[in-house]
Amino acid sequence: MMTKLKRVIFLLAIILLQGCSSHNTVHVYAKYLSEEQEQQVVESLSVNENLTVEVNRLEFPSTVNDNTLIYAPSRGTDKAAIEVMEQVSSLGFPIGATGLMLANNHSFSANNMGIYLVPAGLSITNERARAGKYNIPLYSEYGARNCENTATLEIKESGNFVLNEEVWDKNKQDYQQNQYRGTWSIEDNQYLLFRSPAWQQVLYFHRQTFERDIENGKLQGYQLIPMTKYNKGSNYARVYCTYEISQVME
């Protein structure tokens, strides 16, 4: 039968063990990272068994313009925060600022931290200014321009896309609709890759801003411009053309 003293020692041992193995969650804000950079960060942080890594591409707080770590002070978090900073610094993301609890509208509960990563040479200020000027979300429906047939491309936030193509059938004297579905991804925040079971190739596009004068003002928006060429006649070559979305500016 366990004596009172042994019971106290046993309980203290459990508490100390829990304190040493406290589990933390790091939320990686990867809005400006390429897929390769994101994978490197996740793999590096995941080596720590006491760390859960969750990735998102949400907006940064307006006060964060460089590599930053924000966390809530709690048992074991300070040590985990230092380890996280050392790991991402070794990957080329030196932490320039740390904060406790809150940055603008971003806060974290106990045993949680948020890390905001910015590739070297990228200006968050410039990116925000560009996004404000062209206030059009990536997840939208784009219309084909200079394509062989009429087509629309819908990019969904889920990582899927739907491309509808209307082809004129001379025999039936009517339009026939072809629909292609698949997945998309983005690299370096500007290169989009589209994959579909209906295609033998990955379609690469460069997302660029554009402006065009019109009668009553100016069109301003984004274009998805093909980066390679494919042989004519294939189903993917027909729809591999420039797509754009715009807004009218007075």
Side-chain angles (χ1 to χ4, degrees), residues 18-25 48 50-51 71-84 110-113:
Q18 289 176 338
C20 293
S21 60
S22 58
H23 200 90
N24 291 276
T25 298
N48 189 335
N50 292 322
L51 199 65
Y71 67 98
S74 56
R75 179 182 296 176
T77 303
D78 290 342
K79 180 182 178 182
I82 293 174
E83 292 176 350
V84 168
N111 299 114
N112 282 268
M113 65 187 79

Short mmCIF file of all heavy atoms in Angstrom, two decimals, residues 18-25 48 50-51 71-84 110-113:
data_model
loop_
_atom_site.label_atom_id
_atom_site.label_comp_id
_atom_site.label_asym_id
_atom_site.label_seq_id
_atom_site.Cartn_x
_atom_site.Cartn_y
_atom_site.Cartn_z
N GLN A 18 5.13 16.13 -17.01
CA GLN A 18 4.24 16.87 -17.89
C GLN A 18 4.84 18.20 -18.27
O GLN A 18 4.72 18.67 -19.40
CB GLN A 18 2.89 17.07 -17.21
CG GLN A 18 2.07 15.80 -17.07
CD GLN A 18 0.78 16.02 -16.31
OE1 GLN A 18 0.65 16.97 -15.55
NE2 GLN A 18 -0.16 15.13 -16.51
N GLY A 19 5.53 18.85 -17.30
CA GLY A 19 6.12 20.14 -17.58
C GLY A 19 7.24 20.02 -18.60
O GLY A 19 7.43 20.89 -19.44
N CYS A 20 8.00 18.93 -18.53
CA CYS A 20 9.12 18.75 -19.46
C CYS A 20 8.64 18.42 -20.85
O CYS A 20 9.31 18.69 -21.84
CB CYS A 20 10.04 17.64 -18.95
SG CYS A 20 10.89 18.07 -17.41
N SER A 21 7.50 17.79 -20.97
CA SER A 21 7.05 17.33 -22.28
C SER A 21 5.83 18.10 -22.77
O SER A 21 5.00 17.57 -23.48
CB SER A 21 6.72 15.84 -22.21
OG SER A 21 5.70 15.62 -21.25
N SER A 22 5.69 19.39 -22.33
CA SER A 22 4.54 20.19 -22.74
C SER A 22 4.52 20.31 -24.26
O SER A 22 5.56 20.49 -24.90
CB SER A 22 4.61 21.58 -22.09
OG SER A 22 5.82 22.22 -22.44
N HIS A 23 3.34 20.22 -24.81
CA HIS A 23 3.19 20.22 -26.26
C HIS A 23 2.77 21.61 -26.75
O HIS A 23 1.92 22.25 -26.15
CB HIS A 23 2.14 19.19 -26.67
CG HIS A 23 2.26 18.78 -28.11
ND1 HIS A 23 3.04 17.72 -28.52
CD2 HIS A 23 1.71 19.30 -29.23
CE1 HIS A 23 2.94 17.60 -29.84
NE2 HIS A 23 2.15 18.55 -30.29
N ASN A 24 3.40 22.06 -27.81
CA ASN A 24 3.10 23.38 -28.37
C ASN A 24 2.66 23.24 -29.82
O ASN A 24 3.05 22.30 -30.52
CB ASN A 24 4.34 24.28 -28.29
CG ASN A 24 4.68 24.67 -26.88
OD1 ASN A 24 4.13 25.61 -26.32
ND2 ASN A 24 5.62 23.93 -26.27
N THR A 25 1.88 24.20 -30.27
CA THR A 25 1.45 24.26 -31.67
C THR A 25 1.98 25.54 -32.29
O THR A 25 1.79 26.64 -31.74
CB THR A 25 -0.09 24.24 -31.78
OG1 THR A 25 -0.58 23.03 -31.22
CG2 THR A 25 -0.51 24.34 -33.24
N ASN A 48 10.65 18.05 -34.23
CA ASN A 48 10.37 18.15 -32.79
C ASN A 48 9.05 17.43 -32.49
O ASN A 48 7.98 17.87 -32.92
CB ASN A 48 10.28 19.63 -32.39
CG ASN A 48 10.21 19.80 -30.88
OD1 ASN A 48 9.77 18.91 -30.15
ND2 ASN A 48 10.63 20.97 -30.41
N ASN A 50 7.40 17.30 -29.83
CA ASN A 50 6.51 18.06 -28.94
C ASN A 50 5.95 19.30 -29.61
O ASN A 50 5.49 20.23 -28.95
CB ASN A 50 7.26 18.46 -27.66
CG ASN A 50 7.59 17.26 -26.81
OD1 ASN A 50 6.81 16.32 -26.70
ND2 ASN A 50 8.78 17.27 -26.21
N LEU A 51 6.01 19.32 -30.94
CA LEU A 51 5.55 20.48 -31.69
C LEU A 51 4.59 20.06 -32.80
O LEU A 51 4.93 19.20 -33.62
CB LEU A 51 6.75 21.22 -32.28
CG LEU A 51 6.55 22.66 -32.71
CD1 LEU A 51 6.24 23.54 -31.51
CD2 LEU A 51 7.79 23.17 -33.43
N TYR A 71 3.80 34.77 -29.50
CA TYR A 71 3.37 33.62 -28.70
C TYR A 71 2.83 34.07 -27.35
O TYR A 71 3.02 35.20 -26.91
CB TYR A 71 4.54 32.65 -28.51
CG TYR A 71 5.67 33.16 -27.65
CD1 TYR A 71 5.76 32.81 -26.31
CD2 TYR A 71 6.66 33.98 -28.19
CE1 TYR A 71 6.81 33.27 -25.53
CE2 TYR A 71 7.70 34.44 -27.42
CZ TYR A 71 7.77 34.09 -26.08
OH TYR A 71 8.81 34.55 -25.32
N ALA A 72 2.12 33.16 -26.72
CA ALA A 72 1.58 33.39 -25.38
C ALA A 72 2.50 32.71 -24.37
O ALA A 72 2.77 31.52 -24.49
CB ALA A 72 0.17 32.83 -25.26
N PRO A 73 3.01 33.44 -23.38
CA PRO A 73 3.92 32.83 -22.41
C PRO A 73 3.22 31.77 -21.57
O PRO A 73 2.13 31.99 -21.04
CB PRO A 73 4.34 34.02 -21.54
CG PRO A 73 3.25 35.01 -21.69
CD PRO A 73 2.73 34.85 -23.09
N SER A 74 3.79 30.59 -21.53
CA SER A 74 3.24 29.49 -20.74
C SER A 74 4.37 28.50 -20.51
O SER A 74 5.46 28.63 -21.08
CB SER A 74 2.06 28.81 -21.46
OG SER A 74 2.45 28.37 -22.75
N ARG A 75 4.12 27.49 -19.66
CA ARG A 75 5.16 26.52 -19.31
C ARG A 75 5.70 25.82 -20.55
O ARG A 75 4.96 25.21 -21.32
CB ARG A 75 4.61 25.49 -18.35
CG ARG A 75 5.64 24.42 -17.96
CD ARG A 75 5.04 23.39 -17.05
NE ARG A 75 4.64 23.99 -15.77
CZ ARG A 75 4.02 23.32 -14.81
NH1 ARG A 75 3.71 22.04 -14.99
NH2 ARG A 75 3.69 23.92 -13.68
N GLY A 76 6.98 25.97 -20.79
CA GLY A 76 7.63 25.29 -21.91
C GLY A 76 7.60 26.07 -23.21
O GLY A 76 8.31 25.73 -24.15
N THR A 77 6.81 27.13 -23.30
CA THR A 77 6.68 27.84 -24.56
C THR A 77 7.91 28.65 -24.90
O THR A 77 8.32 28.74 -26.06
CB THR A 77 5.44 28.76 -24.54
OG1 THR A 77 4.28 27.98 -24.25
CG2 THR A 77 5.24 29.44 -25.89
N ASP A 78 8.54 29.27 -23.87
CA ASP A 78 9.74 30.07 -24.13
C ASP A 78 10.83 29.23 -24.79
O ASP A 78 11.45 29.66 -25.76
CB ASP A 78 10.26 30.66 -22.82
CG ASP A 78 9.34 31.75 -22.28
OD1 ASP A 78 8.53 32.26 -23.06
OD2 ASP A 78 9.46 32.08 -21.08
N LYS A 79 11.06 28.04 -24.25
CA LYS A 79 12.07 27.16 -24.81
C LYS A 79 11.70 26.74 -26.23
O LYS A 79 12.54 26.71 -27.13
CB LYS A 79 12.24 25.93 -23.92
CG LYS A 79 13.28 24.95 -24.44
CD LYS A 79 13.37 23.72 -23.54
CE LYS A 79 14.39 22.72 -24.09
NZ LYS A 79 14.48 21.50 -23.26
N ALA A 80 10.41 26.40 -26.43
CA ALA A 80 9.95 25.99 -27.76
C ALA A 80 10.10 27.13 -28.75
O ALA A 80 10.46 26.92 -29.92
CB ALA A 80 8.49 25.53 -27.68
N ALA A 81 9.82 28.36 -28.31
CA ALA A 81 9.94 29.52 -29.19
C ALA A 81 11.37 29.71 -29.66
O ALA A 81 11.63 30.00 -30.83
CB ALA A 81 9.43 30.76 -28.47
N ILE A 82 12.33 29.54 -28.73
CA ILE A 82 13.74 29.67 -29.09
C ILE A 82 14.13 28.61 -30.11
O ILE A 82 14.84 28.89 -31.09
CB ILE A 82 14.62 29.56 -27.83
CG1 ILE A 82 14.37 30.76 -26.92
CG2 ILE A 82 16.10 29.46 -28.21
CD1 ILE A 82 15.08 30.67 -25.59
N GLU A 83 13.66 27.37 -29.90
CA GLU A 83 13.98 26.28 -30.83
C GLU A 83 13.41 26.56 -32.22
O GLU A 83 14.06 26.32 -33.24
CB GLU A 83 13.43 24.96 -30.29
CG GLU A 83 14.15 24.49 -29.02
CD GLU A 83 13.52 23.22 -28.46
OE1 GLU A 83 12.43 22.83 -28.93
OE2 GLU A 83 14.13 22.62 -27.54
N VAL A 84 12.18 27.08 -32.25
CA VAL A 84 11.54 27.40 -33.54
C VAL A 84 12.32 28.49 -34.25
O VAL A 84 12.58 28.40 -35.46
CB VAL A 84 10.07 27.85 -33.32
CG1 VAL A 84 9.51 28.47 -34.60
CG2 VAL A 84 9.22 26.66 -32.89
N ALA A 110 -2.42 29.87 -24.71
CA ALA A 110 -1.30 29.16 -24.12
C ALA A 110 -0.88 27.98 -24.98
O ALA A 110 -1.71 27.29 -25.59
CB ALA A 110 -1.68 28.67 -22.72
N ASN A 111 0.45 27.76 -25.04
CA ASN A 111 1.05 26.66 -25.82
C ASN A 111 0.80 26.79 -27.32
O ASN A 111 0.81 25.81 -28.05
CB ASN A 111 0.53 25.30 -25.33
CG ASN A 111 0.88 25.04 -23.88
OD1 ASN A 111 0.01 24.97 -23.03
ND2 ASN A 111 2.17 24.91 -23.59
N ASN A 112 0.58 28.02 -27.77
CA ASN A 112 0.43 28.29 -29.20
C ASN A 112 1.32 29.46 -29.58
O ASN A 112 1.56 30.36 -28.78
CB ASN A 112 -1.02 28.64 -29.55
CG ASN A 112 -1.91 27.42 -29.63
OD1 ASN A 112 -2.10 26.83 -30.67
ND2 ASN A 112 -2.46 27.03 -28.47
N MET A 113 1.82 29.42 -30.81
CA MET A 113 2.61 30.53 -31.31
C MET A 113 2.37 30.69 -32.81
O MET A 113 2.01 29.73 -33.51
CB MET A 113 4.10 30.31 -31.02
CG MET A 113 4.73 29.13 -31.74
SD MET A 113 6.44 28.81 -31.19
CE MET A 113 6.12 27.96 -29.64
#
